[in-house]
């Protein structure tokens, strides 16, 4: 057998393939009988038999011979197919598989029982002249030199004619066999995976060629390098006049790359089909009827990924059958269908392949899992209490837990859920699960479609460049200071409200635990600057990554990290960019892994502090910029930033006392200092201060400096003021900033107190004819505030909560109101819609409308005016509001 | 066997020439944020990404800074090493191409196997394999697989 070693090896590979075809064919046979299928099975067994006989694998040959007989009889219609045949077929198939893998190829195996089983299927066979079996009988015998003798000896003419008959039959049958072989070669759908070291690939419909996998790998790598080289060339010659040749070649290289990628792509269907068999066996073993639904068999994946999928997917399906699905009687009594279903699906989504394994069983009992986790010291009681159902269920992936599960003969075997998880993660994928107690469980696996060449976004973060694969990138968000939704902090972690979902915002510093000195000092200006971040996703998790800027998009070859660096899972690898520079490639999955706890932590902590209704209300209220400072050591104060002109630091010795007042000379001007404890009942300044801060307000004719002991920060926050019944004129209300109670100072009433002559609001001369205002405002605090303002100077105020209410009131009495003063951001109908409706309505188009907002930027003002508002004023600026109102009513 | 020698401070060290892919002068390191300090960074070697280990830091001494004299010794990876059939010595480097950043390069020396001496017990170090005498001084022969696989000696990667 020596010189034919190569040939024998080839046969073994072929036998392996045929066995796989056989098994898959049997699985399909279970779903329904077809002639085509039987033919396929027959050819597979036939090939095995032929080779087995040739290479002296006696038992293989014998068994397949008997098998083949039955198949042939069915094929020829002499035997009718019945479901009872499937089991013995599978047994025979298994036996052949076993022989294929054993050292002696089953030559010493006893297959008597099996053969008997198969033969017994042939009862009911319509007996006919069976040339082939006769032929086989003859070929089993050593060829004799009888033929020669007989032809010479005319006396034995019967033997001669016998022989001639047989020879003819041999020829006929041989032709048949040859034809079949040819047929089988051309018709077999070659899209299945083979073990061993050869791969088959379909080129066109009918032709395939065997290529060594190693060769394909090298081809892939080389193509990757060519792509890089092309990118470098394109960059180098970007400014050249005539680079049509280069461009043409560039296109061809792209095409080449696509094709080469395809050589490694295989439909996942091959792996899926074998699960039918597995499920069938399981159903039998567990005594539960199970139905397996498969979808998306055509979904293509890189070959190497498919190979690694088989084991973990098997485990998952076994789990569904064993632990997920209940036994038939329990199912029926809980109103479910007797037959349990397992869905196995694969589909492409945004550059990744998503595989789901779902069952309609009893779901995962989160409480039980939690209890086990606590018992095994995986989590603490308090952590368990704050976990959601899905989060707790995900604990089953924890290594500390899987081993504790009951190891049944089916789902045990040392392949725990943690191994399943790490297998997928090693491939650059992610695993997630959703479960509902009583209804079932769904496991979702995200996988990259290809391991090597990825289209990526090159970004700059704190001086370095990083590559982010497009498949992991969801969107890019720019947060400008004037935007409604900003990055907020909850328990010192940054978050962002992305269309209703709260996502954590991470920085490279947090991810790598390395801080960097970078040139731009972002710290102080964080509220005023624009913030750019990427939304990345891993499985079902999303998060934001802060970046400085985006460079460009590039197709890169991800080179795996050296072993020395492999523990840093937040990097998927490194790559060489078009300009020869190296860049690290980030891995969203890796980042999630190391930060996973943070993400879940966040969700639950937010849930516990606010109910959904509260959050909705908050969403509609506007945000204010406030300057937060301290006067006494313990109390915190705030004033609207829009009213702050300047903040300066001064030393105690600069302060001069003249009569009862304190002054300071700044830039040539003498500024009166305001000590807040004189006007508010708060504690006094600390004695030991050497430096103070002076806040100069932006109020006309009010040149004072408000003394502060420290400036805490400026915040951009929703104003949720409480007005406690304390007798304080100079306080607008109380709010909480950074969990500290803060007084919001009313600068106007302060000004009135300081110089009453100048600031006391003069009573309007006489009663103005036009004094009926409609104030539209959803925030309760501002509604009250505005009402008070206007009424205090003699106007009559009617309130509306939102645009719709206002409109109703207006349409009801179109000539009653003289002026509408409206907020912009409101629920149901906002200010813009309101003003549009008013201006386009015949009845109301004469009505002047002023916009009142918290925004101070020029653009907002322009935006309001172009929307149709006749005037614009800022809420916290009393002066401003009244002036605007007067303008419309009095100077008409 | 031929060895390439180099200096770490005043100590002369050597590695077998068959293990070396190339010796280079100045390379632009790209720092890997989050990686241990002993890793100077990664470089682009004609399309290959090579990780560079700072020899000074690997020995827990002073960090080697790039200078006119400093060099990078880039080692072959294990599969490249096995392509060259050399049956008498079994050598191992690392699964990937790693380079070491050294102070300065020195001569190539030939050492016969009889000349290799064991490392004196007062000088034992996981990276040292042998010592060899040359003139008045000793040259320390390093074990490439140890210094290139720092992740296996966890203390060095703190």
């Amino acid at each position: 057998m020596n010189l034919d070693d190569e040939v024998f090896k080839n046969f073994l590979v072929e036998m392996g393939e045929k066995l796989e075809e056989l098994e898959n064919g049997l699985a399909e046979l279970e779903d329904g009988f077809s002639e085509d299928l039987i033919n396929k099975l027959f050819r597979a067994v036939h090939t095995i038999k032929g080779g087995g006989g040739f290479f002296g694998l006696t038992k293989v040959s014998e068994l397949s011979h008997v098998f083949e007989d039955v198949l042939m009889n069915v094929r020829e219609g002499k035997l009718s197919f019945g479901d009872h045949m499937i089991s013995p077929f599978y047994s025979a198939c298994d036996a052949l598989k076993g022989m294929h893998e054993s050292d002696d190829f089953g030559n010493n195996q006893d297959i008597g029982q099996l053969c008997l089983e198969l033969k017994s299927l042939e009862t009911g066979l319509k007996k006919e002249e069976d040339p082939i079996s006769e032929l086989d009988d003859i070929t089993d015998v050593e060829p004799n030199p009888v033929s020669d003798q007989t032809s010479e000896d005319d006396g034995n003419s019967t033997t001669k004619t016998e022989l001639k008959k047989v020879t003819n039959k041999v020829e006929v049958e041989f032709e048949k066999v040859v034809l079949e072989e040819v047929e089988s070669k051309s018709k077999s759908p070659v899209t299945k995976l083979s073990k061993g070291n050869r791969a088959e690939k379909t080129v066109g419909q009918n032709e395939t060629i065997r290529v060594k996998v190693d060769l394909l790998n090298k081809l892939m790598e080389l193509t990757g390098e060519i792509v890089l080289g092309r990118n470098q060339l394109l960059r180098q010659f970007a400014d050249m006049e005539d680079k049509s040749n280069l461009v043409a070649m560039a296109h061809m290289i792209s095409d080449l790359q696509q094709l080469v990628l395809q050589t490694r792509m295989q439909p996942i269907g091959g792996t899926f089909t074998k699960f039918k068999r597995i499920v069938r066996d399981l159903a039998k073993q567990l005594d539960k009827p199970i139905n397996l639904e498969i979808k998306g068999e055509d979904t293509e994946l890189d070959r190497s990924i498919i190979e690694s999928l088989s084991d973990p997917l098997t485990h998952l399906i076994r789990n569904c059958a064993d632990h997920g699905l209940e036994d038939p009687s329990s199912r029926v009594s809980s109103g479910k269908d007797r037959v349990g279903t397992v869905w196995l699906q694969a589909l492409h989504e945004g550059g990744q392949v998503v595989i789901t394994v779902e069952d309609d069983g009893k779901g995962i009992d989160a409480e039980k899992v939690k209890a086990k986790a606590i018992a095994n010291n995986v989590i603490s009681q308090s952590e368990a209490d704050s976990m959601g159902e899905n989060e707790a269920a995900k604990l089953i992936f924890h290594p500390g837990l899987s081993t504790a599960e009951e190891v049944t003969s089916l789902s045990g075997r040392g392949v725990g859920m943690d191994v399943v998880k790490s297998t997928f993660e090693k491939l650059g994928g992610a695993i997630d699960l959703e479960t509902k107690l009583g209804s079932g469980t769904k496991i979702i696996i995200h996988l990259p479609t290809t391991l090597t060449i990825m289209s990526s976004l090159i970004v700059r973060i704190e001086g370095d460049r990083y590559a982010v694969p497009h498949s992991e990138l969801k969107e890019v968000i720019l947060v400008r200071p004037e935007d409604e939704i900003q990055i907020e902090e909850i328990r010192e972690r940054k978050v962002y409200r992305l269309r209703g979902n709260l996502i954590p915002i991470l920085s490279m510093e947090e991810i790598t635990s390395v801080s960097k000195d970078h040139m731009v000092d972002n710290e102080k200006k964080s509220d005023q600057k624009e913030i750019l971040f990427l939304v990345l996703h891993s499985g079902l998790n999303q998060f934001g990554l802060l970046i400085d800027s985006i460079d460009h998009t590039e197709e890169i070859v991800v080179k795996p990290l050296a072993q020395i660096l492999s523990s840093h899972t937040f990097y998927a690898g490194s790559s060489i960019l078009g300009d020869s520079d190296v860049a690290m490639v980030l891995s969203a999955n890796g980042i999630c892994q190391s930060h996973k706890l943070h993400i879940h932590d966040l969700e639950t902590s937010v849930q516990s502090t606010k109910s959904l209704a509260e959050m909705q209300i908050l969403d509609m209220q506007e945000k204010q910029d406030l300057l937060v400072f301290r006067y006494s050591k313990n109390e915190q104060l705030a004033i609207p930033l829009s009213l702050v002109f300047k903040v300066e630091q001064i030393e105690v010795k600069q302060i001069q006392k003249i009569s009862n007042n304190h002054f300071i000379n700044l830039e040539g001007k003498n500024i009166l200092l305001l000590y807040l404890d004189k006007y508010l009942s708060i504690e006094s300044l600390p004695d030991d201060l050497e430096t103070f801060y002076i806040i100069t307000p932006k109020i006309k004719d009010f040149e004072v400096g408000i003394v502060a002991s420290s400036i805490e920060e400026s915040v951009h926050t929703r104003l949720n003021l409480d007005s406690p019944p304390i007798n304080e004129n100079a306080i607008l209300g109380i709010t909480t900033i950074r969990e500290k109670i803060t007084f919001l100072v009313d600068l106007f009433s302060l000004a009135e107190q300081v110089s009453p002559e100048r600031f006391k609001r003069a009573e309007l001369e006489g009663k103005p004819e036009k004094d009926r205002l409609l104030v539209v405002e959803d925030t309760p605090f501002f509604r009250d505030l505005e009402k008070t303002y206007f009424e205090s100077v003699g106007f009559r105020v009617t309130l509306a909560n939102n645009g719709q209410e206002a409109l109703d009131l207006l349409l009801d009495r179109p000539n009653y109101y003289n002026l509408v003063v409206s907020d912009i951001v409101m629920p149901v109908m906002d200010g813009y819609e309101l003003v549009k409706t008013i201006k386009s309505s015949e009845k109301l188009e004469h009505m002047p409308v002023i916009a009142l907002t918290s925004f101070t930027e020029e653009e907002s003002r322009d935006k309001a005016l172009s929307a149709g508002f006749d005037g614009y004023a800022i809420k916290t600026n009393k002066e401003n509001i009244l002036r605007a109102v007067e303008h419309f009513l009095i100077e008409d | 066997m031929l060895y390439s020698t180099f200096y770490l401070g005043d100590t002369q060290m050597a590695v077998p020439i068959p293990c070396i892919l190339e010796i280079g002068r100045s390379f632009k390191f790209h720092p890997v944020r989050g990686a241990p300090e002993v890793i100077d960074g990664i470089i682009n070697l004609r399309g290959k990404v090579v990780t560079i280990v700072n020899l000074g830091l690997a020995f827990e001494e002073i960090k080697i800074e790039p200078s006119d004299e400093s060099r990078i010794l880039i080692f072959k990876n294990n599969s490249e090493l096995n392509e060259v059939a050399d049956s008498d010595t079994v050598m191992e480097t690392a699964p990937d191409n790693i380079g070491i950043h050294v102070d300065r390069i020195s001569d190539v020396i030939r050492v016969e196997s009889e000349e290799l001496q064991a490392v004196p017990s007062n000088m034992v170090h996981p990276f040292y394999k042998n010592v060899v005498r040359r003139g008045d001084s000793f040259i320390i022969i390093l074990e490439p697989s140890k210094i290139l696989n720092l992740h296996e000696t966890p203390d060095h990667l703190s």
Side-chain angles (χ1 to χ4, degrees), chain A residues 25-43:
Chain A
L26 286 175
E28 285 179 56
L29 194 61
E30 276 191 279
D31 281 340
F33 172 83
S34 85
E35 289 230 7
D36 211 32
L37 259 179
I38 290 287
N39 279 333
K40 209 161 65 171
L41 293 174
F42 172 77
R43 286 194 294 264

Side-chain angles (χ1 to χ4, degrees), chain A residues 225 228 232 461-462 464-466 508-509 512 514-516 559 561-565 568 570-571 574-576 580-584, chain B residues 28-36 39 42-49 51 53 95-98 147-152 157:
Chain A
E225 302 300 331
L228 288 184
Q232 283 177 335
I461 305 178
E462 290 166 22
D464 296 321
R465 286 203 287 182
Y466 297 90
M508 268 316 265
E509 187 173 333
T512 58
V514 170
S515 59
K516 240 195 161 211
K559 294 176 189 286
L561 288 176
Q563 288 229 349
I564 240 175
L565 294 171
H568 303 290
F570 42 86
Y571 290 132
S574 54
S575 77
I576 299 181
S580 294
D581 217 1
V582 252
M584 298 306 291
Chain B
K28 192 171 145 221
F29 299 146
H30 186 274
V32 178
R33 188 168 183 183
I39 308 278
I42 51 178
I43 60 169
N44 171 4
L45 182 72
R46 296 183 300 280
K48 261 196 233 243
V49 174
T51 313
V53 170
D96 329 280
N97 294 98
I98 315 267
I147 198 161
L148 301 178
N149 290 296
L150 287 177
H151 52 286
E152 286 170 9
L157 284 186

Side-chain angles (χ1 to χ4, degrees), chain A residues 433-602:
Chain A
L433 75 74
E434 287 171 356
T435 184
K436 196 148 195 284
L437 200 57
S439 313
T441 310
K442 181 174 179 182
I443 299 185
I444 305 137
I445 302 153
H446 279 77
L447 289 172
T449 36
T450 157
L451 294 177
T452 44
I453 303 180
M454 300 182 128
S455 188
S456 309
L457 194 67
I458 313 295
V459 299
R460 275 185 201 272
I461 305 178
E462 290 166 22
D464 296 321
R465 286 203 287 182
Y466 297 90
V468 179
H470 276 174
S471 56
E472 297 185 331
L473 177 65
K474 248 193 140 206
E475 43 190 306
V476 181
I477 308 244
L478 175 66
V479 181
R480 288 164 305 186
E482 66 262 21
D483 287 336
E484 188 63 4
I485 302 179
Q486 293 280 323
I487 294 182
E488 301 165 69
E489 272 200 32
I490 294 180
R491 301 211 196 148
E492 281 163 35
R493 302 223 190 95
K494 293 197 172 60
V495 293
Y496 184 82
R497 235 175 270 269
L498 184 67
R499 292 185 291 277
N501 286 323
L502 210 61
I503 59 171
I505 306 291
L506 303 173
S507 67
M508 268 316 265
E509 187 173 333
E510 284 170 347
I511 296 171
T512 58
S513 315
V514 170
S515 59
K516 240 195 161 211
D517 305 315
H518 46 280
M519 299 190 292
V520 181
D521 184 10
N522 292 333
E523 303 291 338
K524 298 273 149 55
K525 303 201 188 123
S526 52
D527 285 334
Q528 321 293 44
K529 237 178 78 118
E530 295 185 337
I531 299 177
L532 187 63
F533 65 88
L534 305 175
V535 180
L536 302 174
H537 70 111
S538 155
L540 298 176
N541 288 311
Q542 283 182 57
F543 64 94
L545 175 66
L546 293 169
I547 62 173
D548 291 335
S549 63
I550 296 179
D551 248 23
H552 60 281
T553 291
E554 199 172 315
E555 273 177 1
I556 54 168
V557 175
V558 180
K559 294 176 189 286
L561 288 176
Q563 288 229 349
I564 240 175
L565 294 171
S566 56
S567 58
H568 303 290
T569 51
F570 42 86
Y571 290 132
S574 54
S575 77
I576 299 181
L577 301 179
D579 58 4
S580 294
D581 217 1
V582 252
M584 298 306 291
V585 181
L586 296 176
S587 161
N589 291 332
I591 296 173
C592 253
Q593 263 172 276
S594 45
H595 275 73
K596 220 164 196 125
L597 286 176
H598 288 353
I599 293 176
H600 287 296
D601 235 342
L602 206 54

Side-chain angles (χ1 to χ4, degrees), chain A residues 215-409:
Chain A
L215 186 58
L216 281 181
N217 284 341
K218 288 210 174 103
L219 191 59
M220 269 287 266
E221 263 184 55
L222 193 55
T223 314
E225 302 300 331
I226 292 179
V227 165
L228 288 184
R230 172 202 69 182
N231 291 348
Q232 283 177 335
L233 278 178
L234 283 175
R235 276 182 166 250
Q236 206 176 329
F237 295 113
D239 300 323
M240 273 247 299
E241 288 259 320
D242 179 24
K243 49 183 196 294
S244 50
N245 283 338
L246 180 57
V247 171
M249 202 172 83
H251 284 307
M252 286 193 279
I253 291 178
S254 293
D255 290 342
L256 177 67
Q257 184 192 8
Q258 282 303 311
L259 287 173
V260 172
L261 271 174
Q262 272 182 49
T263 60
R264 286 181 55 103
M265 298 289 266
Q266 305 235 289
I268 205 172
T271 319
F272 277 8
T273 329
K274 75 162 185 232
F275 288 125
K276 287 206 168 150
R277 166 84 194 270
I278 294 178
V279 168
R280 189 183 166 276
D281 286 342
L282 280 172
K284 248 203 193 143
Q285 207 171 340
L286 299 167
D287 218 5
K288 302 176 189 173
I290 307 176
N291 178 28
L292 177 65
E293 300 260 341
I294 297 184
K295 247 166 81 167
E297 294 108 309
D298 297 330
T299 314
E300 290 193 340
L301 276 185
D302 188 278
R303 189 180 186 286
S304 46
I305 302 182
I306 291 188
E307 280 171 354
S308 337
L309 280 186
S310 166
D311 277 343
L313 279 182
T314 309
H315 183 78
L316 288 177
I317 292 189
R318 285 204 154 119
N319 249 9
C320 285
D322 198 8
H323 300 299
L325 296 176
E326 319 93 320
D327 60 270
S329 42
S330 317
R331 287 180 66 89
V332 170
S333 47
S334 53
K336 290 188 188 176
D337 206 51
R338 194 167 168 273
V339 180
T341 312
V342 174
W343 290 270
L344 181 57
Q345 181 179 323
L347 56 85
H348 269 295
E349 201 181 75
Q352 298 206 319
V353 168
V354 184
I355 300 177
T356 50
V357 181
E358 193 177 349
D359 67 68
D360 63 351
K362 60 179 189 256
I364 295 179
D365 190 341
E367 294 308 313
K368 275 205 192 135
V369 177
K370 278 196 226 180
K372 236 180 203 156
I374 296 173
N376 287 12
N377 278 324
V378 170
I379 53 168
S380 67
Q381 180 66 51
S382 51
E383 284 173 323
D385 291 334
S386 61
M387 277 189 176
E389 195 180 355
N390 280 337
E391 207 189 328
K394 281 187 214 177
L395 283 171
I396 61 172
F397 292 120
H398 201 281
L401 221 60
S402 331
T403 49
E405 266 179 41
E406 283 170 26
V407 174
T408 63
S409 63

